[in-house]
Amino acid sequence: MRGFWGLMRAYWLSDRWKEAWGMTLAIAVLTAVSSKMGVWWAEYSAELVNSIAYFHSPHNAAPLQHLLTAAGMLVLVTLGKDVGVVGIRHLFSTTLHRKWRGWLNGQFNEALLDDNHTHFHLQHEGKDVGLARPAPDNIDQRVQDSIKQMTGGAIGLAMGVLGVVTSLYFVGMKLIETSTVVGGFEFLGIYGSAILAFAAIVAYVPLNTFIALKLGGILERLTISIQQAEGTYRGELTTFLRRSFQVAASGGETVQRQMHARLYQDIDRTWSKLNIFYSGYQSFELIYNFLGARIVAYSPLLLPYMQGSIGLKSYITGAELINSLIGQFSWIIRVMPEIANLKANARRVTDLAEAIENVQAPAEFYRSTGRSDFQFNRKEDVFALTVRKLELLHEGESAEPFVVAEELRFLPGEWTFVQGESGCGKTSFMKAVNGLWPHGAGEITVMNGLRVFYAAQDVKLPKLTLKELVCLPETDDLHSDARVAAALHKAGLGEFIEHMASYSRESRSWDDTLSGGQKQKLVLARILLHRPGILFLDEATGALDPSAKIAYHQAIKDGCPKVTVVSVMHEAHAPRSGTGTPFYDSVIRFVDGVAVKEALALRTGADLKLVSSQAKPMAV
C-alpha cells in the first residue's frame, strides 16, 4: 500500500474481495440505470414543455390530458431516479465507504501495533530534518480523518467516472438517434446536429476543466497546510490537558493562552486563504453552470430548429440531453474541491504507509541518521543478561558516545541498583538494553526462556477494565479472576478487587481514578501476575513513600524469587528490607559516561556502601 494505486486497490484484492466487488457491482448497475433514466427525464421534460407550448393549438384534441400525462411521467421518472435509484445507490456507496475505511483503518492499526514496535520507531526519528526524514506529523489525524475522507472521496470520484461513461453511452446514443441534417453543414450528413452537439461540449468543457485543475492544485496544498496546522493545535491541547495540574500549580495559564493563540494563527491564516479560493471557485462554477445549461446546451440545435428541421419537442429534448452530458462531463469541475481533498488525504495516508514500511527494519532505518549496530541474542547461558561493548549515541554521524559499558553480566536472581546523577544516561541505558534506543552499538544477550518486563516511571492507563489493565500485555482471558485478585492484594490494591470487571469507578476512568503511586502498584500487580525472568525498574517507585517502596521490593522478592532485577532509583543508597536485609547484590555507577558494575557489601547495620570506589567491573 505504499503507492496511491496500491492503496486504492488493496481492499478489492484482500480476503474481503467478495464484499468489496459485490457492492461495487451494485453501484455500477445503479449508476447505469440512473444514466438511462436521465435520458427518460430529458424526453418527458421536453414533452411537458411541448404540451405547454401547444396547449391552445387547434390540432391538440386533449391539451389538459397531454399536459397532466407529461407532468405525471416527469414526476414519476424524477422520483424513481432520485429517490429509488440514487437513494439506494447512496446506501450502497456509504456502506462501501464504511467497510473500506474500517478495513484500511484495521490494516494501519495492525502495522503500527506489530511486534516490531513500529509505532515507537515511527515517532522516534526525524526530529532534526537536516539529518533524517521528518517523522510523520499527526499520525492520529492521518489514520482517522485522512483515511475517512480519502476513501469517501475515492468512491465519489469512481462514481463520477462511471456516470460519465454510462451517460456518454445512453445520452450519446439518443443524440445520434435523433440527429438530423443541418443547413450549411450538409457535408456532415444526418449526423450533423449530433456532431454539432458533441463539438460544443468538447469546446466548452476541457478548457474550463483545465482551469479547475489548476485551482484544485492550490486547494490541495492549502488543505494539507490546514490539516498540519489543526493537527499541531489539537496535539498541543491534548498535551495541555494531560498536564493541566502542572499548569494550574505554576499559574502558567497566561503562557499557555499565548501558545494556543500562536498555534491557532497558523490555522486562521490558512483558513482565510482557503475561504478566498473556495469563494472564487464557487463563483467560477456558478458561471460555468449557467453558461453550460442555458447557452452552450441550447446553441447547437438552435440552427436546425430555426431552419425547421426539428420541432420544439425535439429541440428541447436535444438541449436537455446536451445539458445532461455537459453536467456529467463537468463532474471534475463540480467536485474539484473534493478531488483536492482526496489528493491531499491520499498523500498523507501514502506517506504514512511509506514511513511504516521504512521502519520495518529499525537498525537499517536508524543507520540513515547515525550509527546503529546493536545485536540482540537469545541463547543458553549461565547469565540471565549480558551486555558487551555498549556505546550509546545521539542522532548524527559525528556523534560521540555519552554512555559506554565494556561488559556487564547479571546472574539469575541477582538484583542490581543503577546509580548516577540526573542526565548521566541511566534511562537511556535501560532503553538500549530493551531495544528501544536508536543509535549506538553493543551486544545484548538474554538467557533462553526468560521473559523480560520493563516498568517505567510514568504509567498511562488505557480505557480497559481493571482486570485487563493488570493482565497487560496479555489478554484477560488467559488469567483467572482469582490470580488477578491475588496479585492486586499483594500489590496493595485489595480495595479495588470488587471492581475488576469495571472500566471506571464513579464515572471516572482508572487513569483518572488511581493516583501516581497506585498506578505504580498496579504495575507491581502485573509483575506479580506474570513473574518475569528479568525485570527492569526505571524509577518505577518514584511516586511511593519510603515504606511503600520497601513493600514494593519485598512483594517482588517474595512473589518472584528467581527474577533478575535491574533498577534505576533516585536514592543515594540501595534500599533494604524492614529487617535490614539488603535487596540488591550489586550496583552500576555512571562515572563520566562509563557504566561500572560493582558488588555491594554491608558496611554497617544502617547503610549499604560500595566496596571500593576504585573497584573494577564485576566478572560474575
Side-chain angles (χ1 to χ4, degrees):
M1 300 192 299
R2 295 185 64 156
F4 174 78
W5 290 112
L7 196 66
M8 290 295 104
R9 64 174 178 260
Y11 177 50
W12 280 260
L13 299 178
S14 71
D15 57 351
R16 289 168 61 178
W17 65 272
K18 292 182 180 179
E19 170 186 270
W21 284 107
M23 286 186 287
T24 301
L25 180 61
I27 293 170
V29 170
L30 290 169
T31 300
V33 173
S34 176
S35 297
K36 180 61 177 177
M37 295 183 77
V39 175
W40 297 341
W41 188 92
E43 291 177 332
Y44 286 117
S45 179
E47 185 69 36
L48 177 62
V49 172
N50 189 65
S51 64
I52 294 173
Y54 292 99
F55 189 85
H56 297 292
S57 173
H59 301 290
N60 193 347
L64 183 61
Q65 180 181 350
H66 290 161
L67 176 65
L68 293 177
T69 300
M73 291 302 297
L74 184 61
V75 169
L76 287 176
V77 170
T78 301
L79 290 175
K81 180 176 181 290
D82 295 342
V83 178
V85 176
V86 175
I88 295 173
R89 185 184 66 171
H90 179 72
L91 178 61
F92 274 104
S93 66
T94 52
T95 302
L96 178 61
H97 182 198
R98 178 171 59 85
K99 297 287 188 178
W100 183 17
R101 180 202 176 188
W103 179 84
L104 198 54
N105 184 78
Q107 296 300 302
F108 273 95
N109 276 319
E110 287 290 331
L112 288 169
L113 297 170
D114 59 9
D115 295 336
N116 185 53
H117 308 307
T118 293
H119 62 93
F120 173 79
H121 299 304
L122 200 62
Q123 302 175 83
H124 198 77
E125 276 299 277
K127 297 179 177 64
D128 188 340
V129 295
L131 294 173
R133 295 178 292 266
D137 66 307
N138 310 316
I139 293 175
D140 60 333
Q141 183 268 337
R142 292 175 189 246
V143 173
Q144 293 301 315
D145 295 345
S146 292
I147 287 179
K148 178 182 179 182
Q149 295 178 36
M150 182 199 72
T151 50
I155 292 171
L157 193 64
M159 288 170 59
V161 173
L162 188 59
V164 168
V165 174
T166 55
S167 291
L168 181 61
Y169 175 78
F170 290 115
V171 177
M173 290 294 291
K174 190 65 177 180
L175 281 173
I176 293 173
E177 178 186 328
T178 57
S179 183
T180 186
V181 177
V182 179
F185 295 89
E186 289 84 0
F187 63 93
L188 298 177
I190 61 172
Y191 300 111
S193 62
I195 291 175
L196 289 179
F198 289 130
I201 295 171
V202 171
Y204 185 66
V205 175
L207 175 62
N208 289 280
T209 301
F210 176 78
I211 297 172
L213 288 171
K214 292 297 183 183
L215 294 175
I218 299 173
L219 290 174
E220 177 189 350
R221 291 190 290 273
L222 289 174
T223 299
I224 292 175
S225 297
I226 200 168
Q227 285 177 341
Q228 292 172 336
E230 288 179 338
T232 301
Y233 185 69
R234 183 180 65 244
E236 175 53 37
L237 283 176
T238 301
T239 303
F240 156 65
L241 293 174
R242 288 176 178 172
R243 53 183 175 84
S244 60
F245 170 76
Q246 288 80 358
V247 173
S250 62
E253 283 82 2
T254 300
V255 175
Q256 193 71 39
R257 279 198 304 271
Q258 292 174 347
M259 185 188 307
H260 289 176
R262 184 171 65 251
L263 291 174
Y264 193 80
Q265 285 176 358
D266 291 338
I267 298 176
D268 190 64
R269 282 193 294 267
T270 308
W271 199 354
S272 175
K273 294 177 182 178
L274 267 173
N275 288 342
I276 293 172
F277 271 93
Y278 270 121
S279 298
Y281 193 88
Q282 185 179 47
S283 298
F284 161 74
E285 185 180 357
L286 289 172
I287 293 172
Y288 171 85
N289 289 338
F290 168 75
L291 293 176
R294 294 292 171 257
I295 305 299
V296 178
Y298 281 82
S299 296
L301 301 183
L302 183 60
L303 184 58
Y305 175 69
M306 294 172 62
Q307 294 172 348
S309 300
I310 59 174
L312 178 63
K313 178 180 176 181
S314 297
Y315 175 54
I316 297 298
T317 300
E320 289 298 333
L321 289 173
I322 294 171
N323 184 35
S324 175
L325 270 184
I326 291 175
Q328 290 294 342
F329 277 104
S330 302
W331 64 273
I332 292 181
I333 297 174
R334 189 170 57 252
V335 300
M336 183 51 65
E338 287 75 17
I339 292 175
N341 279 329
L342 167 63
K343 294 175 66 178
N345 287 302
R347 183 186 300 182
R348 290 176 69 73
V349 175
T350 52
D351 284 349
L352 177 59
E354 184 173 347
I356 290 173
E357 289 289 334
N358 288 337
V359 300
Q360 291 309 298
E364 294 180 11
F365 175 73
Y366 289 129
R367 286 190 192 111
S368 67
T369 56
R371 187 183 178 194
S372 184
D373 295 316
F374 296 104
Q375 297 179 32
F376 296 91
N377 307 310
R378 285 271 186 173
K379 67 179 184 179
E380 295 295 337
D381 201 347
V382 296
F383 298 102
L385 173 67
T386 303
V387 180
R388 291 190 179 93
K389 299 187 181 303
L390 184 70
E391 294 182 354
L392 302 188
L393 300 88
H394 293 297
E395 183 178 309
E397 295 293 339
S398 60
E400 292 293 326
F402 63 93
V403 168
V404 174
E406 183 63 26
E407 185 171 38
L408 305 173
R409 295 183 289 185
F410 306 83
L411 285 167
E414 179 182 0
W415 285 46
T416 303
F417 177 60
V418 182
Q419 187 181 56
E421 298 292 332
S422 295
C424 68
K426 300 187 299 295
T427 295
S428 300
F429 167 79
M430 299 283 271
K431 289 180 178 179
V433 175
N434 283 273
L436 299 175
W437 189 261
H439 295 296
E443 181 181 354
I444 295 92
T445 302
V446 175
M447 181 190 294
N448 272 340
L450 292 187
R451 183 175 187 177
V452 179
F453 195 101
Y454 186 179
Q457 180 180 18
D458 294 328
V459 182
K460 302 295 183 184
L461 302 180
K463 294 181 179 180
L464 301 171
T465 66
L466 182 59
K467 181 182 178 183
E468 288 174 321
L469 290 172
V470 176
C471 293
L472 285 175
E474 296 177 340
T475 55
D476 62 333
D477 58 320
L478 298 178
H479 301 277
S480 66
D481 289 350
R483 289 194 62 209
V484 175
L488 284 169
H489 176 73
K490 292 175 183 177
L493 297 175
E495 61 188 288
F496 299 109
I497 290 176
E498 61 182 302
H499 304 287
M500 284 197 308
S502 301
Y503 288 89
S504 60
R505 187 178 183 187
E506 297 177 355
S507 300
R508 298 174 64 204
S509 68
W510 290 110
D511 195 53
D512 294 330
T513 298
L514 300 179
S515 66
Q518 288 174 324
K519 290 178 183 178
Q520 291 185 337
K521 289 181 178 179
L522 189 146
V523 174
L524 172 60
R526 290 179 191 165
I527 295 169
L528 298 176
L529 180 66
H530 295 296
R531 302 183 69 179
I534 300 178
L535 175 61
F536 294 93
L537 301 176
D538 189 0
E539 300 181 22
T541 59
L544 301 176
D545 58 41
S547 61
K549 289 180 181 179
I550 293 174
Y552 188 104
H553 283 75
Q554 191 64 57
I556 296 175
K557 182 70 77 171
D558 295 339
C560 310
K562 297 181 180 180
V563 67
T564 299
V565 177
V566 182
S567 176
V568 172
M569 299 177 70
H570 280 304
E571 280 72 6
H573 306 291
R576 302 164 59 194
S577 71
T579 61
T581 304
F583 289 116
Y584 289 88
D585 309 295
S586 55
V587 63
I588 294 177
R589 292 190 305 147
F590 286 80
V591 181
D592 296 329
V594 179
V596 180
K597 185 169 182 284
E598 301 172 327
L600 280 172
L602 189 62
R603 185 69 171 268
T604 67
D607 195 12
L608 286 173
K609 295 186 177 180
L610 297 176
V611 173
S612 169
S613 61
Q614 303 298 322
K616 296 181 180 180
M618 275 186 72
V620 294

